[in-house]
């Protein structure tokens, strides 16, 4: 009798544990649309929709950033802090933690594991590598932690991804070169941070368009790490050894790339680049001299959309597994001061920090008033 009773208790305990694990094993897959369909737009027609168990707030949310040595990442961290400090957002947060771990992938994974162990409700991550996070994604899912990747996303359907079409952005720049360098020619391609999904996707988009054009291209690739100083030196070296070029495309650090052209007295040529304020200043000032620009990307404010998505998921709202953000695009001859670039603001400031469909809009002062330091 006692043995039977003990066996029943053990079986019941195991049943409860198994069911608890199942409950904590991630979100329910449901039908769309999302709670805010204009903001949380699904990536594709077959994108799944998640519904996490509703948690009572306020929430503990962490930002696990990797690389921090360029202006985009610094502005991204500043924007995350600015968003978390907004009154209606702050009311939903018990704690907002920021950690940047550099280019060391294991260090970033370790930081995420520490956040899981510390009981954070959601973790927002700009991943250094799209494929290396399998075990920590599994841990987050089993712990019931909402994991949202943005910009450099994760190669998984067990976390939420928030991003622009990075490959499509590369294709946009490729099409700009094809249309403005009609006979093909020599192109300088300044890449980002090696190993990241953004760098790979943008690179692939550029080359698919160039390869499909039927024109002959000689592409010189250098690494600029999306940083003005690094990109300027890499471009200067490339101009000295392989120039002159008929066209340029840069994933970031574009102000530095143009400065390298100016310093080397390289002719201005068509350029497909990102959304830095300084780059757009150059594009507006030198359009008549041959610097015909396509400036496109998405500002660091996409981190705010990622945090908003994490909060929505914690509140039990339906969200897409993969959220698609719009690109901010301005092309020659449509660069307008005070709208597309800001003469009085820093060259390093990335333009395109408004997502009206999500109720997200930042002033330069609101962002630049924050620090890049961990908190």
């Amino acid at each position: 009798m006692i043995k039977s009773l003990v066996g029943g208790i053990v079986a019941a305990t195991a049943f409860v544990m198994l069911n608890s694990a199942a409950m904590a094993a991630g979100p329910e897959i449901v039908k769309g649309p999302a709670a805010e369909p204009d903001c949380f737009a699904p990536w594709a027609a077959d994108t799944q929709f998640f519904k996490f168990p509703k948690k009572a707030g306020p929430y503990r949310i962490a930002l696990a950033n990797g690389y921090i040595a360029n202006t985009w990442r610094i502005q991204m961290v500043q924007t995350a802090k600015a968003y978390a400090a907004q009154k209606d957002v702050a009311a939903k947060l018990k704690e907002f933690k920021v950690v940047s771990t550099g280019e060391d992938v294991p260090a970033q994974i370790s930081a995420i594991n520490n956040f899981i162990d510390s009981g954070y409700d959601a973790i927002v991550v700009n991943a250094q590598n799209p494929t290396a996070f399998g075990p920590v994604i599994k841990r987050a899912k089993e712990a019931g932690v909402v994991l949202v990747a943005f910009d450099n996303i994760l190669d998984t359907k067990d976390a939420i991804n928030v991003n622009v079409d990075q490959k499509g952005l590369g294709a946009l720049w490729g099409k700009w070169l094809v249309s403005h360098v009609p006979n093909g020619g020599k192109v300088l391609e300044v890449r980002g941070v090696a190993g990241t999904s953004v760098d790979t996707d943008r690179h692939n988009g550029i080359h698919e368009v160039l390869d499909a054009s039927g024109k002959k291209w000689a592409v010189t690739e250098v690494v600029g790490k999306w940083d003005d100083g690094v990109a300027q030196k890499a471009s200067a070296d490339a101009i000295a050894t392989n120039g002159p070029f008929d066209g340029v495309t840069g994933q970031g650090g574009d102000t530095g790339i143009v400065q390298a052209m100016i310093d080397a007295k390289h002719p201005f040529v068509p350029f497909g680049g990102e959304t830095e304020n300084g780059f757009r200043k150059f594009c507006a000032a030198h359009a008549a001299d041959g610097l015909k620009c396509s400036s496109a990307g998405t500002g660091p404010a996409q981190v705010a959309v990622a945090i908003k998505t994490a909060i929505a998921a914690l509140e039990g709202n339906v969200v897409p597994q993969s959220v698609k953000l719009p690109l901010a695009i301005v092309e020659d001859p449509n660069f307008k001061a005070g709208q597309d670039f800001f003469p009085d603001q820093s060259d390093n400031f990335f333009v395109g920090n408004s997502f009206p469909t999500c109720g997200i809009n930042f002033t330069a002062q609101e962002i630049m008033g924050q620090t890049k330091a961990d908190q």
Side-chain angles (χ1 to χ4, degrees):
M1 177 71 175
I2 293 175
K3 184 176 181 180
S4 176
L5 180 61
V6 171
I9 292 171
V10 170
T13 302
F15 178 82
V16 170
M17 291 176 66
L18 283 170
N19 277 274
S20 297
M23 289 177 63
E28 180 186 0
I29 296 175
V30 299
K31 291 184 178 181
E36 296 184 44
D38 290 338
C39 177
F40 305 132
W43 188 266
D46 61 350
T47 297
Q48 294 179 330
F49 288 84
F50 286 169
K51 183 175 175 60
F52 286 81
K54 183 177 181 179
K55 282 189 177 183
Y59 306 112
R60 299 175 70 211
I61 296 180
L63 168 60
N65 179 46
Y67 190 69
I68 191 62
N70 64 30
T71 54
W72 196 100
R73 289 295 182 101
I74 292 169
Q75 188 177 325
M76 180 272 291
V77 169
Q78 293 172 310
T79 305
K81 292 180 179 180
Y83 184 67
Q86 291 183 346
K87 186 177 180 180
D88 58 337
V89 179
K92 297 181 179 183
L93 299 178
K94 181 178 181 181
E95 180 184 0
F96 183 65
K97 183 79 171 177
V98 178
V99 169
S100 295
T101 53
E103 295 184 70
D104 187 342
V105 174
Q108 189 176 31
I109 292 172
S110 178
I112 297 171
N113 273 317
N114 287 338
F115 288 136
I116 294 170
D117 292 338
S118 299
Y120 279 79
D121 299 300
I123 303 168
V124 177
V125 58
N126 194 331
Q128 284 302 111
N129 183 289
T131 61
F133 287 73
V136 78
I137 293 169
K138 184 173 183 290
R139 284 202 69 215
K141 182 177 179 179
E142 291 173 347
V145 176
V146 174
L147 185 62
V148 181
F150 70 99
D151 186 37
N152 287 289
I153 56 174
L154 297 168
D155 187 13
T156 181
K157 290 191 175 181
D158 287 329
I160 300 170
N161 285 320
V162 175
N163 205 4
V164 301
D165 184 356
Q166 301 287 1
K167 187 175 181 181
L169 178 56
L172 178 81
W173 295 332
K175 290 174 184 175
W176 185 258
L177 293 179
V178 168
S179 64
H180 287 78
V181 187
N183 298 318
K186 294 172 65 177
V187 171
L188 172 61
E189 179 191 359
V190 183
R191 299 187 61 169
V193 175
T196 59
S197 64
V198 168
D199 174 71
T200 300
D201 289 346
R202 292 179 176 185
H203 169 78
N204 289 341
I206 293 165
H207 283 265
E208 283 188 12
V209 170
L210 295 183
D211 293 345
S213 70
K215 301 174 183 179
K216 188 175 180 180
W217 303 96
V219 181
T220 297
E221 295 180 28
V222 297
V223 175
K225 291 191 173 183
W226 307 316
D227 177 77
D228 280 336
V230 177
Q232 182 173 339
K233 184 179 186 308
S235 298
D237 292 344
I239 290 169
T241 56
N242 291 341
F245 297 100
D246 302 299
V248 177
T249 181
Q251 296 191 20
D254 300 325
T255 309
I257 298 170
V258 178
Q259 189 60 56
M261 295 169 67
I262 293 171
D263 293 344
K265 296 181 173 52
H266 188 288
F268 287 119
V269 295
F271 194 137
E274 249 280 359
T275 62
E276 299 104 318
N277 194 44
F279 174 55
R280 289 188 172 186
K281 289 180 188 178
F282 276 140
C283 292
H286 296 290
D289 305 319
L291 187 64
K292 304 295 186 182
C293 300
S294 173
S295 172
T298 182
Q302 63 176 280
V303 68
V305 181
I307 297 168
K308 180 181 175 73
T309 305
I311 293 172
L314 289 169
E315 292 177 333
N317 294 310
V318 175
V319 296
Q321 183 271 322
S322 188
V323 178
K324 188 172 186 177
L325 299 176
L327 287 171
I329 304 171
V330 183
E331 295 181 333
D332 181 80
N334 298 316
F335 292 92
K336 295 181 177 61
Q339 174 180 306
D340 304 308
F341 66 96
F342 301 90
D344 297 332
Q345 292 297 328
S346 166
D347 288 348
N348 293 330
F349 186 75
F350 278 80
V351 186
N353 289 296
S354 174
F355 292 98
T357 56
C358 295
I360 291 171
N361 188 29
F362 295 95
T363 66
Q365 292 79 8
E366 189 176 5
I367 294 170
M368 304 309 279
Q370 304 290 331
T371 70
K372 70 174 183 178
D374 290 352
Q375 69 177 32

